[in-house]
Amino acid sequence: MLLEVFLVLGTVIIYFLFSKKKEETLPFKDGWWGKGQKPDTEEDTTIRPFKVETTEEELSDLFRRLDQARFTEPLENSCFHYGINSVYLRKVVSYWKNQFNWKKQVEVLNKYPHFKTKIQGIDIHFVHVKPPRLSEGQSAKPLLMVHGWPGSFYEFYKIIPLLTDPASHGLSDEHVFEVICPSIPGYGFSEAPHKKDFNSVSAASVFYELMLRLGFNEFYAQGGDWGWLICTNLAQIAPNHMKGLHLNLASVSKMGFTHLLSILLGRYFPGLFGFQEEDIRRMFPFLEKGLYRILSESGYAHIQATKPDTVGCGLNDSPVGLAAYILEKFSSWTDMEFQNLEDGGLERKFNLDDLLTNIMIYWVSGCIVSSMRFYKENLQKGIGTQKHEKLTVQVPTGIASFPNEIMHTPQAWAQKKYTNIVSFHFMPRGGHFAALEEPELLAKDILQFVGKVEKEQLWKKKRE
């Protein structure tokens, strides 16, 4: 009898030991992305001040190309349904030549401190903004903010003051941030990788090194577009260093049977799949708001995930072509309904100075090709095949779900990937470029999320 008891107890112990799922982390990717062979000498870890600059030669070349632009007449009543409307594009180019002041915008870019530092063989550019003031006994919380394509670090220029000096903008100053906005390698003023296979895990590893180099052992991270994936990977690489992860896009690449079943039946039995009323409104009918929308908006991704250099070379040679390619995304990704307008609704949410400043960052740095390659590096092996796609995220997570995002991800889906969602909010308005379009809404959501994490010390509970 005693032997049987021991056998049963032993079986139970073995079951719990081996059946308990181990919390896996994503391996840090220590690569070398510089030219040629990795040198034997140690890397220079100096952090160097950087300024955005421009020259008369650069401007003369730009204006010559703008003057020589060839335009194609659009189809009648086509609005933005065939891509950018060249009637509106002519207006943009006219403004670019006659009213846009790049020298003034360079001053705007330089109003925040810029730096560069060498990591894994390439120069990494970042903006680092500290609070202008802190209350006695208060310390700033480091916040890494990562952009995507076809955006840049400039997307965060309107939200930075709301986070570093919230009280001056009518927001709660219970939590004040020290904001770090790097350019993804191959974007803006960060050097492009010289080797193949630089993907989101590579970028996350580089940014992890950056944060440690800046002296931040614990920090928050925020991202949308590629910033969503890079920050997610960073949470998987260094969960004990990230206090919280905030996203304004949370895509799920690994779709299981329950996901597919919820697409078929969720409209009729929402409670069965954890859907809320707003989920139903945003997702269904699924063919129209899901599948067809993705198909109509993903052609660029297929090109960039297969042959980015071919199209990229043309865009790198033509500022008008570059503007057309980028502006079309700022139209449809801000609101799909803007395709029904002759001007793509671009100036309803943005101004031309901001839009052209983002385009100029791509133009003067010549980074459009390398930025497009990031799609190939991340997607060439197929969706759902990478290790990071199979791992969950345990870091406390906050999600701001904007209504005009191309694809809606309900909390019930996101929860399968982000197992510790502590804040999920349906935002009242806004689309893909949330930080630039709705900086106050996004800032408030970040502030409340961090407030919840700090008050409940959620990052400490995760480690216990």
Side-chain angles (χ1 to χ4, degrees):
M1 182 67 181
L2 193 60
L3 179 61
E4 290 174 351
V5 170
F6 278 122
L7 284 172
V8 170
L9 285 173
T11 303
V12 170
I13 291 168
I14 290 169
Y15 172 79
F16 279 107
L17 281 174
F18 287 94
S19 67
K20 188 177 179 182
K21 194 173 181 180
K22 188 181 176 184
E23 184 179 312
E24 274 192 275
T25 57
L26 193 64
F28 173 84
K29 194 169 180 180
D30 187 12
W32 169 259
W33 309 105
K35 288 183 178 180
Q37 292 287 331
K38 183 178 181 180
D40 295 330
T41 55
E42 285 193 18
E43 191 164 68
D44 179 8
T45 58
T46 305
I47 295 172
R48 315 180 305 277
F50 171 77
K51 283 189 76 173
V52 182
E53 295 177 328
T54 191
T55 64
E56 289 301 328
E57 290 79 10
E58 190 174 65
L59 289 171
S60 296
D61 176 65
L62 171 67
F63 291 138
R64 176 184 62 79
R65 292 169 187 264
L66 293 177
D67 285 335
Q68 294 176 353
R70 295 193 306 171
F71 294 91
T72 301
E73 184 180 345
L75 292 171
E76 295 176 5
N77 304 314
S78 61
C79 299
F80 263 54
H81 288 287
Y82 284 71
I84 198 162
N85 188 297
S86 60
V87 172
Y88 179 72
L89 185 60
R90 283 178 184 271
K91 177 191 171 183
V92 173
V93 172
S94 175
Y95 183 90
W96 202 348
K97 291 192 296 184
N98 302 311
Q99 292 167 269
F100 179 72
N101 188 335
W102 174 235
K103 290 182 179 179
K104 179 185 173 184
Q105 291 306 111
V106 165
E107 291 178 9
V108 172
L109 290 174
N110 286 325
K111 74 177 180 178
Y112 295 133
H114 294 246
F115 303 89
K116 282 191 175 184
T117 189
K118 189 81 74 176
I119 300 178
Q120 297 188 14
I122 52 177
D123 263 339
I124 304 302
H125 160 260
F126 62 99
V127 173
H128 187 178
V129 188
K130 298 181 180 181
R133 66 189 69 82
L134 287 168
S135 304
E136 188 176 343
Q138 188 179 37
S139 59
K141 295 171 178 62
L143 173 65
L144 175 74
M145 302 191 80
V146 184
H147 65 89
W149 185 93
S152 64
F153 66 91
Y154 183 64
E155 283 182 71
F156 300 116
Y157 266 49
K158 294 183 189 303
I159 199 174
I160 286 172
L162 306 183
L163 297 170
T164 57
D165 189 16
S168 296
H169 298 85
L171 303 177
S172 168
D173 65 349
E174 182 182 0
H175 303 289
V176 179
F177 297 92
E178 183 170 343
V179 179
I180 301 91
C181 300
S183 294
I184 299 170
Y187 287 70
F189 303 114
S190 278
E191 186 178 353
H194 298 275
K195 308 283 194 294
K196 294 188 292 183
D197 298 326
F198 186 94
N199 58 16
S200 62
V201 179
S202 310
S205 300
V206 165
F207 291 164
Y208 179 39
E209 276 200 59
L210 173 65
M211 294 303 280
L212 293 179
R213 189 172 296 182
L214 291 172
F216 302 127
N217 196 48
E218 291 185 329
F219 53 89
Y220 288 91
Q222 199 284 328
D225 198 270
W226 282 128
W228 139 72
L229 186 55
I230 292 169
C231 290
T232 293
N233 292 161
L234 183 45
Q236 294 169 320
I237 290 170
N240 292 329
H241 294 267
M242 191 182 288
K243 294 174 75 174
L245 170 67
H246 187 278
L247 305 170
N248 56 279
L249 181 148
S251 182
V252 179
S253 59
K254 190 180 177 185
M255 299 286 281
F257 178 72
T258 53
H259 290 106
L260 298 175
L261 203 60
S262 69
I263 290 171
L264 293 172
L265 304 175
R267 189 179 186 181
Y268 310 104
F269 307 100
L272 189 64
F273 299 99
F275 288 169
Q276 298 181 53
E277 189 176 326
E278 183 65 12
D279 292 320
I280 302 302
R281 192 186 71 78
R282 294 187 186 184
M283 289 175 64
F284 297 99
F286 191 78
L287 280 180
E288 176 191 327
K289 295 185 178 179
L291 184 61
Y292 294 163
R293 184 174 290 182
I294 288 296
L295 288 174
S296 69
E297 286 299 316
S298 60
Y300 81 98
H302 187 75
I303 291 170
Q304 293 173 198
T306 52
K307 303 292 176 62
D309 286 33
T310 305
V311 173
C313 284
L315 301 178
N316 192 51
D317 191 55
S318 167
V320 177
L322 181 69
Y325 201 69
I326 290 177
L327 288 176
E328 182 241 305
K329 299 307 177 194
F330 272 84
S331 169
S332 59
W333 294 359
T334 299
D335 190 335
M336 289 286 289
E337 294 300 316
F338 286 173
Q339 294 185 43
N340 299 318
L341 304 172
E342 291 285 346
D343 63 357
L346 281 161
E347 292 173 69
R348 293 191 177 192
K349 292 298 185 78
F350 311 108
N351 62 62
L352 285 180
D353 282 347
D354 286 336
L355 292 170
L356 286 170
T357 297
N358 180 66
I359 290 165
M360 284 294 288
I361 289 169
Y362 277 84
W363 178 255
V364 299
S365 66
C367 74
I368 188 62
V369 176
S370 53
S371 74
M372 291 164 69
R373 286 175 185 157
F374 201 57
Y375 282 77
K376 185 172 180 69
E377 305 298 14
N378 282 293
L379 299 172
Q380 62 183 334
K381 294 179 182 176
I383 296 172
T385 62
Q386 307 301 301
K387 183 172 183 178
H388 69 81
E389 295 174 287
K390 300 168 185 175
L391 296 181
T392 58
V393 174
Q394 282 80 31
V395 169
T397 303
I399 297 173
S401 179
F402 285 84
N404 293 330
E405 187 60 77
I406 297 299
M407 187 70 182
H408 174 63
T409 301
Q411 183 175 352
W413 287 8
Q415 197 82 46
K416 302 282 178 66
K417 177 73 174 182
Y418 303 90
T419 60
N420 192 6
I421 295 176
V422 299
S423 170
F424 185 102
H425 289 135
F426 294 110
M427 308 306 283
R429 61 186 179 275
H432 188 75
F433 303 98
L436 186 62
E437 182 192 349
E438 296 289 351
E440 188 171 336
L441 281 180
L442 185 60
K444 284 181 177 178
D445 202 72
I446 294 168
L447 286 164
Q448 68 80 28
F449 164 68
V450 171
K452 189 168 187 178
V453 173
E454 293 286 330
K455 184 179 180 181
E456 300 179 22
Q457 296 191 320
L458 295 175
W459 77 95
K460 289 184 179 178
K461 291 179 182 178
K462 177 194 165 297
R463 297 171 192 173
E464 289 171 357

